[in-house]
Structures are given as C-alpha cells and as structure tokens.
Amino acid sequence: MAVTKLFGASVKRREDPRLITGRGNFTDHIRLPGTLFMALKRSPHAHARIVRVDVSKARAMPGVVAVYTGQDLVDKLAPVPCAWLIPNSDLKVPSYRALAVDKVRYVGDAVAAVVAENRYVAEDALEAIDVEYEVLPAIVDQEQATQDGAPQLYDDVPNNIAFHWKLHAGDFDSAWNQAEVKLSRRLINHRLIPTAMEPRGALAHYNPGTGDLTIWCTSQNPHVHRLLLSAVTGIPETRIRVIATDVGGGFGSKIPMYSGEMLASAISRDLGRPIKWFESRRENYVATTHGRDHIQYVDLAATREGKVTGIRVKSYANLGAYLSTASPGVPTWLFGLMLCGAYAIPAVHVDVFGVVTNTTPTDAYRGAGRPEATYLLERMMDLLARELGMDPADIRRKNFVPKEQFPYTTATGLQYDSGNYEATLDRALELVNYQQLRREQEELRAQGRYLGIGFSTYVEVCGLAPSAAAGAMGFQGGLWESATVRVHPSGKVSVFTGSNPHGQGEETTFAQIVADELGISIDDVEIVHGDTEMIPFGMGTYGSRSLAVGGTAVIMATRKVKEKATKIAAHLLEVAPEDVTFENGRFFVKGAPDRAKTFQEVAGAAYLAWSMPEGVTPGLEETHFHDPINNTFPFGCHICVAEVDADTGKVSFRKYVAVDDVGNVVNPMIVDGQVHGGIAQGLAQAVYEYAAYDENGQLLTATLMDYAVPKASMLPRFDVDRTVTPTPVNPMGAKGAGETGTIASTPAVANAIIDALSPFGIDHLDIPLTPERIWRAVQERRG
Amino acid sequence: MQITVKVNGVAHTHDVEPRMLLVHFLRDVLNLTGTHIGCDTSQCGACTVLMNGKAVKSCTVFAVQADGAEITTIEGLARDGQLHPVQEGFWEMHGLQCGYCTPGMIMTAVDLLQRIPNPTEEQIRHYLEGNLCRCTGYQNIVRAVQYAAEKMRA
C-alpha cells in the first residue's frame, strides 16, 4: 500500500476528548431505572466441602430482593465454559459452576448471590449469609500438587493433572548426548495479577416482554461473550446484545467468560429486572484470572563455540482451581511453539503439565505464554554466555536466524514472516553506547558499585492465525476478524469492526487507514466497536491482533467499497471502469482529470440510484471477513542498565533502551505508548509484582496495598526506537505492538540485575528480584 | 442526613446515609460518573476530585464530610468549552490509553501544578504516587504534566 498522508502520522487520538472530560461510556456508568445490585458471597477457604448454606437471615433483610445458592441455579445456568480444548493431551475439564454446589476450590469461589436495592444493602446481606464449611487440606504449589498423596481437587483428575501436552520437534536426545556444553536449570515464572484499572462488572437487562437480554459488560470480545452467554443461559444468540464500548484496560483478563456476567444475566431473566454487578478490587484480585505461574525445568545443549543445538523443557503450569476460557492454550501452544525464540535451534522438546490447585484460575495475561518462553530462553542464553565466557550480545548474534533465511520455518513448525534480528541488536548497542558502558562497569566495580547490563533479543507471535491453525490447536473459534464499511449518502463513513479496543486507540488508527484508502477527511470516518447489535461478528482485541487482523479486514472491506464506487463513477462519467482512476477522494477519467466525480458525489448517486450501471445494486456498503494466511512475528532488542546497591539490595535503573520492529507503523505515538506500558508491566514482573499465596491458599497480595503495581516514581524513562521490516502477511506490512514491551522487558531487567551481581558469583536468581531476595543472595555469598 | 455540597459550581442538597462515600454521592446521587472507582483501599486514585481546591480521594471521604464544601470533578474542569491545560496536555502527549485512571490522574496533576508550577520530572513522578495507571508506564503522563506546566506559566 502506498504510504499516504495519515499512515505513519502521530494523529492525536479521537477517543480522548470524551475520556479527558469524564464522559466515557464505561460499564458502571450505565444507569437503568429499577436496577438491582448483585453481590457475591465468596469462599474464605481455599478448599472445603459446603455442608450448608443458610440464606434465611439475608433473605429477610429489608431491601434484599432475592438470594441464590448454587443449588438454586443448577438448572438455570450451565457451567462456566472452557473454550480451548487442546488435543492429544488427555485434557480433563472439570465442571466449573458459577455458584459452587458441593465444594469450594479457591479463596474467592462464589457460593451465593444476593440481589438488593443497592450495593450497600447487598454487601450487608452477604454478612448475614451463614455458610458451614468442612475445611479440606489445600494445595497451592503445582509441582507438589502432582505428587502422590497431595490433596485432590477432583475425583476424576488424578494427581491434579488436567493435561499433559507434548511437542517433540527435532532430535533432542542426540543433541544432548553429543553436546559439548550442557546447562540445566529450574526456573520459576511466578504468578501475576493483571490489574486492569477498571475492575470487571456487568449490567444485565432481560426484557420478559421480548425475551431480549442486553448486557453491558467489561469485555475484550463482546461477540465471544454473546456466544458463550447464549450457551450457558439457553437464550438464543439472536436475543442477546452485548455492549462494551469503553473498557478500562484488560490485558487478557477481560477475555474469559466469568461467573459474574453469567449470574447477572440468569438472575435478570429470573426476576425480570436489570441487575448490576461490579467487582471490588479485592474481588478482582481473588476472582478475576491471574497470569503466568510456571515451574520450568530446562536443559540446554550447545557447542563450545556457543551454538545452541537443542532445548528441552518440562513445565508445570498452574491452572488454578478451574479451567478458565482459554487457559489450556496459554501455557502450551502459546508457550511451546515459541521456544526457539530468535534463534536457529534445531531440536525442541516440550512437556507441559497443566495442574489444578486451590488458587484463582489463570488465563491469558499480556503476552500470554510468550513471556514465559522468552524469559526462559533469554535467561538461558545469558547462562550459556557466562558458562563460555562470551559476551551476551555475541552469543545472541551467533544463534540468530540470519536475515537471508526469511521466511524461516522453526523446528516447532512456525513460519517466521520476516526479520532482521541483528539490526535491532546493533541499534540498541549503539543507543546504550555498549563498549563505553562495559568499561564503566569495570571502573565502578573497582569502587564497589555494581552496574549491570541486561539483554533481551526476543521474537513474538501476534495476530494468531489462520483459523485452520486455531482448529488444529483445539481453540473453539476462528481467528479471523470482520469489518463492515458503510458509506452514507452524504459520503460520511461508518466502519464497524469486530476488534474491541480498550486503550489501544483503534478509533484513531482504523480511521487513519480508511481515510487514506478513500482519500477523505478523517473527520468523515467513524469507527464503531463493542456492540454486537451493530457489528456482524467479532473475535475481539487480544494477542496484538487488532491492526494486523482487524485492520486488514477494514482495508479489504474499504477496497470492496472502492471497487463498487468505481463502477458507479465510471457509469456517471460514461466511461468503462478500467478508464477511471481514484486518487485523493476523486474518481476521474484517465488522461482527463477534469472529468471527475468526488467520493461524496458517488456515494450520493449510489443511494439515489436513479442511474446505476447494469447489475450494480443501490447503496454503498461492504463487509469483509479476513482470515490471515499466517501470524506475524515482531521482534527486537531491549537493553536494561541497572545498578544494584549490594548493601541494601535496592535496584536503580540507569537506562532502558527498546528497539522494536513491529513492521510498518500506522501511528507512532500510539505504538510508543503501547511499548512504554508493556515495558512497565514486564519490568514490574522482574522486580516488583508477585501474587503470593500462603500454604493454606490465602492470597496474601489481595489488595493494591500488598500487590506492587508500579507507581510513577518506581519506573525509569524508556528510550524507544524502531527498525522497520514489513510483514508480507497483510497489505499494511504491520505486525502488532501490544505485547512486545511485556514480552521483552522481564528478561532484560532480570539479566541486568544478575549481570550486576556477577562479581558475587551469582549467575541466577528467581524473579521477582526484590531488595530482600537480592540482599539475601549477596549476604550468602559474602558469608 | 441532609447535606449541601457545591459541585462544579452548582449547589446540591440531598439526604444521604452517614456511611455513604463521597464518590458514591457524586456518581450515584448526582450522576457525575466521570469520577471512577478502581480500588477499595485508597491506593489507585481513580476517584480523585478537588475538595475546596485540594485533591482528595473521594472514596476516603464520607459525603457528609463534604457538607458545605466545594467540589470540582473532571466534568467541571473545562471552562466555557476550553479544556484545562492539564486535559489538553493529556490529549497532546498521549497521556492516556484506556482512560480509566485519567480523571483522577488529571485532578491530581491540577493540584500539583497549583502547588508547584514548575515541577521537575522527579517531583511529578513523586507527586503522582497516589494515582495508578496500568497502561502508559507513566512516561507520557509525565510529559502531559510538563506540557500543562509550560502552558500555564505562559
């Protein structure tokens, strides 16, 4: 596509005026007369048998309209669905009731729902519900959960193993047997809490007269939620409307189907009244999905020259107490397929055990599987460099897939679309002034100061596709996206997209690409998203897919519009369509630019339809469902420079450089913002955030007081730069930028800190590298 | 209890329960939903408003404590159709993504610039510690505040 005036421009966001004036359309802002508030009674125990639920006192309280227990809803609501049924893994999907019936399996498992005149009364009534529990031993650690004699969550999930997934590509055994260098490590990729600033919630309104259910909810994928709500409530899809216009962040946590939305819908139908439910932050922390949580055993085989010849991983993935919507796919496909990273590794053996424990269910969290793979690889590359006395930059360079080899098929079977990995490394080295930095590191060490330089040369997968691959992976959906481009008689354009941005800015970027395609003002383009009644169908926004997949659907639909408009213009100009050129919003006769019709004139003519070409119907509107031919693979190099105070364990960040390659960029300002936010989350995993449970399954970090979401003062400034290697997968050449920062930054930061600590003989510490952890490690070495 | 609170220049008199939080009064009684709720422990700052000119977290103030006070919410910040320089800064510098923390972040920044008209980056980052943003990594929020500071000094 020709790069025209808006593609590549930092256009200010069109969503901002409403958001900076307090006029966003977030779920909790919607008011309907007669609304009742629903609150959920949640289990304080990680594992217990429900002996008795006495709701009589709560029911009798003034202002309480109804109280439901699990038993009351067994026939009215099917279990919470799991939609990623990975094949060949002996997958077991235990029943996950919106309200627990016989047992509770994590702190936060819901046991009863109160519906009352307002939130204050509903919360009071929760206190009046008396639940008798028979407390059972709990299991939190996923590795221990697989041992004989560990507490069992389900009778039919022996050793708590919900699946065993394997991907054995290449001949690892002979690589290992012949390896000159063998490295083995146990790595922990700990549990995180996504913490979108807007908690989850819903307002469900069932109209008993029409049988329609309208639900406003905090969703990254409204159509998927409509389909799943239909499946669990039995209300036909045609009778459900899901609306999620402004969503206050998601990071994966607003993809799954949850009990709250299901209960609000079922109870609204039961009572014929609108039901509002909105999480408190504490509820969000115990009952909205968590992310990561792997224990990984890694064996790396290499030559003495530093060439990696094979990698073997056995990972225990903590799924939590139940299988959330996409949970089986995240620690398997999204992790295992990416274990070659940016390197030409011929043999990869992965075994993943998905384990149920008495913890909050886990699912996608920004990066979803790829950060787990990238951290593992980038940490191992540093260990290999250390083992061989090589520079960490050199060991990476030695193993990179060379740029001449793209498209490149990995041992795991992915086809990397395009890449130039060395270019990002070179640029990042230049930006940090690497040689000078290493000299300074030496000088500081002589003064007893510990500076570290950490690398991450990552590659990731975005815009998961095609749908046939989704099917082969057991994902119960397609991975295409839809768009409808409706040109109104005035020539103004409404674009209906199945993507559902919640901070990513597609109301702006999609309008940029449509305005370019049609040669009209961006002010004449409206992007509509987040309403199932207005959009054909949408798979939603996650996995950095909106531009690469949703944006391509928009372009293709726009091109269909142009094609039809060209026919109409040709008819009006009394020439053949081949003789018409379309440029800058004008259709004109080739060689006679004065004989022209504007886009607006043609739009008007399409609706007047007084004189249409033969076989062309009135109106100007097209829909396109785009199923990409492949994924896209952004890549880059992040370098973190940090200083560690060996006496206190405190880390201070000196410099952070990110050189990413996300292909062509529609709006650099927005991509920079995505990268900043992504780095912040990944850096936080390396040094701050940690979802901690005690051995009884109590979440110790259940509030924002205890869980260390970084504050402005805890983060450095990020220097962001890019190289551009377009993808051939879509007409824009754009790859996706939503997760690069999160995927890249955790290992860059960890590697910097461990590099700083190398004079103490430390070559690995598990993240998060808190002052305490660092201080203890240093003390141990100092003796 | 009957209270009278002046919100964005308009006096409102209502009967409220003594336990009602100011943020619920603003959102549910006055329908000013621009003030958001992001936590239950006064950490996130999404609910920040100005009370008698100073930033407060409205989830930590009872509505009855605001009796007789003047409150400015995000809805009252723009005057005569003109954005406040801080609002303008957030738009110009891409200081927001999902927009959920934004109203509180803007109100705190307004308070900051009233106290320190020419803050350093460190002072800005320190002052915003009571407001959490999960999307931006704060970098462009800092730039937004710097933009506003410059504009307000001009």
Side-chain angles (χ1 to χ4, degrees):
Chain A
M1 191 181 95
V3 175
T4 52
K5 51 187 184 245
L6 291 180
F7 195 108
S10 286
V11 175
K12 277 199 295 175
R13 294 206 322 169
R14 290 142 44 99
E15 34 281 89
D16 288 4
R18 67 176 185 271
L19 297 172
I20 56 177
T21 55
R23 291 179 174 87
N25 300 307
F26 295 98
T27 296
D28 198 19
H29 299 6
I30 311 297
R31 303 297 192 248
L32 291 179
T35 296
L36 299 172
F37 194 90
M38 179 180 86
L40 300 177
K41 177 84 174 173
R42 296 185 178 278
S43 167
H45 303 293
H47 199 192
R49 207 171 300 287
I50 301 168
V51 179
R52 187 176 54 89
V53 184
D54 182 354
V55 299
S56 54
K57 276 195 207 124
R59 263 192 193 130
M61 286 171 72
V64 171
V65 174
V67 184
Y68 295 84
T69 65
Q71 207 59 57
D72 297 334
L73 292 173
V74 165
D75 298 329
K76 294 179 177 169
L77 206 49
V80 183
C82 176
W84 201 330
L85 308 176
I86 52 173
N88 308 320
S89 61
D90 198 18
L91 174 71
K92 297 165 193 76
V93 182
S95 174
Y96 181 4
R97 285 279 169 191
L99 293 178
V101 176
D102 53 344
K103 259 173 104 176
V104 289
R105 294 183 176 87
Y106 70 97
V107 171
D109 213 351
V111 290
V114 168
V115 180
E117 293 297 340
N118 65 50
R119 177 165 205 152
Y120 285 72
V121 174
E123 303 256 350
D124 285 347
L126 289 186
E127 298 299 311
I129 296 174
D130 188 16
V131 187
E132 190 184 323
Y133 293 101
E134 178 197 336
V135 178
L136 302 168
I139 183 79
V140 170
D141 179 289
Q142 67 266 42
E143 195 177 5
Q144 290 168 14
T146 62
Q147 307 296 310
D148 289 336
Q152 298 292 298
L153 269 74
Y154 302 93
D155 294 338
D156 48 0
V157 185
N159 292 80
N160 298 311
I161 298 174
F163 61 79
H164 173 195
W165 180 86
K166 278 181 242 185
L167 176 72
H168 290 191
D171 186 356
F172 177 82
D173 291 335
S174 67
W176 186 250
N177 292 334
Q178 291 160 27
E180 293 165 346
V181 183
K182 296 180 181 182
L183 291 177
S184 297
R185 287 285 163 159
R186 179 179 188 267
L187 303 177
I188 292 178
N189 200 305
H190 59 276
R191 181 180 283 243
L192 300 171
I193 306 181
T195 320
M197 289 319 299
E198 176 199 38
R200 287 185 318 102
L203 171 61
H205 180 210
Y206 183 81
N207 181 333
T210 61
D212 289 335
L213 171 72
T214 303
I215 178 168
W216 288 261
C217 62
T218 51
S219 172
Q220 294 180 226
N221 31 226
H223 284 89
V224 175
H225 278 137
R226 185 181 66 174
L227 179 61
L228 295 174
L229 275 173
S230 171
V232 296
T233 60
I235 302 170
E237 254 182 303
T238 49
R239 290 275 175 220
I240 302 178
R241 178 180 187 182
V242 178
I243 305 172
T245 342
D246 280 329
V247 177
F251 313 111
S253 71
K254 291 173 182 170
I255 299 170
M257 186 75 256
Y258 291 94
S259 58
E261 292 86 334
M262 290 168 51
L263 289 164
S265 302
I267 292 173
S268 179
R269 178 169 59 176
D270 211 42
L271 299 177
R273 305 252 316 248
I275 303 290
K276 162 85 63 93
W277 160 77
F278 225 86
E279 287 180 336
S280 66
R281 179 57 65 185
R282 194 190 141 76
E283 264 187 296
N284 174 268
Y285 267 26
V286 297
T288 287
T289 52
H290 295 174
R292 318 273 194 270
D293 207 346
H294 282 215
I295 297 171
Q296 303 161 340
Y297 288 86
V298 189
D299 297 310
L300 188 85
T303 67
R304 217 173 291 288
E305 284 72 45
K307 195 99 177 116
V308 178
T309 53
I311 187 161
R312 177 170 56 198
V313 177
K314 183 167 74 167
S315 181
Y316 294 90
N318 196 335
L319 306 176
Y322 303 96
L323 272 54
S324 176
T325 309
S327 109
V330 173
T332 53
W333 294 109
L334 298 182
F335 166 74
L337 287 176
M338 290 309 294
L339 277 169
C340 296
Y343 314 113
I345 303 176
V348 179
H349 278 205
V350 199
D351 286 78
V352 179
F353 295 92
V355 186
V356 290
T357 65
N358 297 113
T359 60
T360 296
T362 57
D363 205 317
Y365 169 53
R366 198 172 192 174
R370 290 154 287 164
E372 295 89 314
T374 305
Y375 173 77
L376 177 159
L377 260 183
E378 292 302 302
R379 198 75 273 292
M380 293 307 288
M381 292 308 273
D382 261 32
L383 283 162
L384 180 61
R386 177 81 77 93
E387 174 77 16
L388 297 171
M390 282 177 71
D391 188 291
D394 294 340
I395 197 107
R396 287 172 166 80
R397 202 184 291 280
K398 194 176 253 318
N399 286 283
F400 277 155
V401 173
K403 69 168 188 239
E404 304 75 36
Q405 288 188 19
F406 290 91
Y408 173 82
T409 302
T410 66
T412 55
L414 292 173
Q415 194 189 74
Y416 288 175
D417 53 348
S418 64
N420 184 352
Y421 301 156
E422 274 201 280
T424 58
L425 174 63
D426 288 338
R427 179 72 184 133
L429 290 171
E430 184 189 328
L431 286 173
V432 297
N433 200 352
Y434 187 55
Q435 295 311 326
Q436 163 67 23
L437 206 52
R438 283 288 179 204
R439 281 193 292 277
E440 194 188 340
Q441 181 183 40
E442 280 309 307
E443 287 159 24
L444 288 174
R445 275 180 189 169
Q447 301 165 27
R449 287 177 60 188
Y450 301 95
L451 189 74
I453 305 163
F455 287 83
S456 170
T457 48
Y458 71 97
V459 59
E460 66 126 333
V461 53
C462 290
L464 287 184
S467 297
M473 294 190 292
F475 182 68
Q476 302 300 297
L479 284 169
W480 43 266
E481 196 50 274
S482 80
T484 295
V485 173
R486 177 178 302 159
V487 183
H488 300 272
S490 60
K492 309 265 185 206
V493 178
S494 296
V495 178
F496 303 87
T497 170
S499 299
N500 198 35
H502 41 283
Q504 297 87 345
E506 276 84 9
E507 288 176 37
T508 306
T509 48
F510 282 9
Q512 285 179 249
I513 57 182
V514 171
D516 271 1
E517 283 284 327
L518 297 178
I520 58 176
S521 163
I522 191 168
D523 296 331
D524 289 346
V525 184
E526 207 62 54
I527 306 297
V528 181
H529 66 87
D531 186 341
T532 58
E533 206 80 328
M534 301 177 78
I535 292 140
F537 200 95
M539 291 309 297
T541 287
Y542 43 82
S544 308
R545 71 193 302 273
S546 295
L547 183 63
V549 189
T552 302
V554 167
I555 284 193
M556 301 313 273
T558 308
R559 289 183 179 173
K560 285 185 185 172
V561 160
K562 272 202 307 203
E563 209 174 294
K564 180 172 179 182
T566 304
K567 284 184 195 159
I568 298 169
H571 181 71
L572 297 172
L573 293 165
E574 298 177 334
V575 293
E578 309 79 75
D579 295 330
V580 170
T581 300
F582 181 59
E583 252 176 48
N584 296 323
R586 285 172 79 249
F587 297 89
F588 58 88
V589 178
K590 276 180 197 158
D594 292 345
R595 285 182 63 198
K597 292 282 173 191
T598 64
F599 180 72
Q600 289 78 8
E601 285 170 332
V602 174
Y607 282 91
L608 286 175
W610 291 342
S611 173
M612 295 291 278
E614 186 152 345
V616 176
T617 53
L620 195 51
E621 168 172 333
E622 298 289 347
T623 294
H624 189 84
F625 283 62
H626 174 66
D627 198 358
I629 52 169
N630 190 8
N631 314 287
T632 61
F633 296 87
F635 58 90
C637 174
H638 287 209
I639 299 180
C640 175
V641 185
E643 186 171 347
V644 179
D645 182 332
D647 295 325
T648 63
K650 187 176 163 28
V651 173
S652 42
F653 294 99
R654 174 84 91 74
K655 197 170 183 60
Y656 192 101
V657 166
V659 180
D660 298 297
D661 194 321
V662 296
N664 286 327
V665 168
V666 176
N667 186 321
M669 175 192 81
I670 286 177
V671 170
D672 286 351
Q674 289 294 312
V675 173
H676 294 161
I679 296 171
Q681 282 178 7
L683 176 151
Q685 177 176 17
V687 291
Y688 301 128
E689 294 181 24
Y690 177 40
Y693 280 94
D694 73 7
E695 68 278 13
N696 299 315
Q698 292 293 337
L699 182 64
L700 301 176
T701 51
T703 71
L704 280 169
M705 264 193 285
D706 306 297
Y707 186 78
V709 169
K711 301 170 179 179
S713 58
M714 293 156 72
L715 296 173
R717 200 157 50 83
F718 310 121
D719 296 326
V720 172
D721 196 11
R722 276 187 282 280
T723 60
V724 178
T725 310
T727 176
V729 169
N730 61 60
M732 290 168 288
K735 292 195 171 190
E739 294 157 297
T740 58
T742 319
I743 291 165
S745 56
T746 309
V749 173
N751 285 342
I753 294 168
I754 290 165
D755 183 49
L757 296 172
S758 64
F760 296 97
I762 293 169
D763 67 2
H764 178 73
L765 295 173
D766 280 319
I767 47 176
L769 298 168
T770 57
E772 184 194 347
R773 208 168 264 188
I774 293 169
W775 180 83
R776 282 186 192 285
V778 170
Q779 290 301 307
E780 224 170 80
R781 268 58 164 204
R782 276 175 169 169
Chain B
M1 274 180 77
Q2 193 180 66
I3 59 167
T4 299
V5 188
K6 201 169 180 184
V7 181
N8 301 330
V10 181
H12 296 271
T13 301
H14 285 277
D15 263 321
V16 299
E17 269 194 71
R19 66 176 177 169
M20 176 177 267
L21 300 174
L22 177 58
V23 66
H24 288 142
F25 176 73
L26 294 171
R27 290 179 56 84
D28 298 337
V29 179
L30 303 187
N31 266 315
L32 291 169
T33 53
T35 300
H36 297 166
I37 302 173
C39 76
D40 39 19
T41 51
S42 295
Q43 246 73 38
C44 81
C47 66
T48 306
V49 298
L50 299 184
M51 181 161 151
N52 298 325
K54 288 182 182 164
V56 297
K57 292 181 177 176
S58 60
C59 73
T60 317
V61 176
F62 289 114
V64 294
Q65 290 176 287
D67 187 22
E70 284 198 29
I71 304 287
T72 306
T73 70
I74 189 73
E75 290 96 337
L77 205 56
R79 291 282 158 82
D80 309 321
Q82 269 304 108
L83 291 177
H84 186 282
V86 174
Q87 290 172 309
E88 206 183 301
F90 272 72
W91 193 10
E92 290 290 335
M93 295 292 132
H94 189 30
L96 62 149
Q97 290 178 26
C98 82
Y100 199 77
C101 76
T102 310
M105 201 64 86
I106 288 177
M107 299 316 279
T108 303
V110 169
D111 184 72
L112 159 65
L113 295 178
Q114 282 170 4
R115 294 180 197 218
I116 312 172
N118 190 15
T120 62
E121 173 164 351
E122 200 184 343
Q123 282 174 316
I124 295 170
R125 286 181 180 268
H126 178 69
Y127 208 91
L128 295 178
E129 276 192 333
N131 292 75
L132 297 177
C133 169
R134 192 57 158 168
C135 294
T136 63
Y138 303 102
Q139 188 147 324
N140 287 344
I141 291 177
V142 170
R143 291 173 65 220
V145 177
Q146 288 168 334
Y147 174 98
E150 201 166 304
K151 176 122 192 187
M152 287 166 80
R153 282 199 311 276

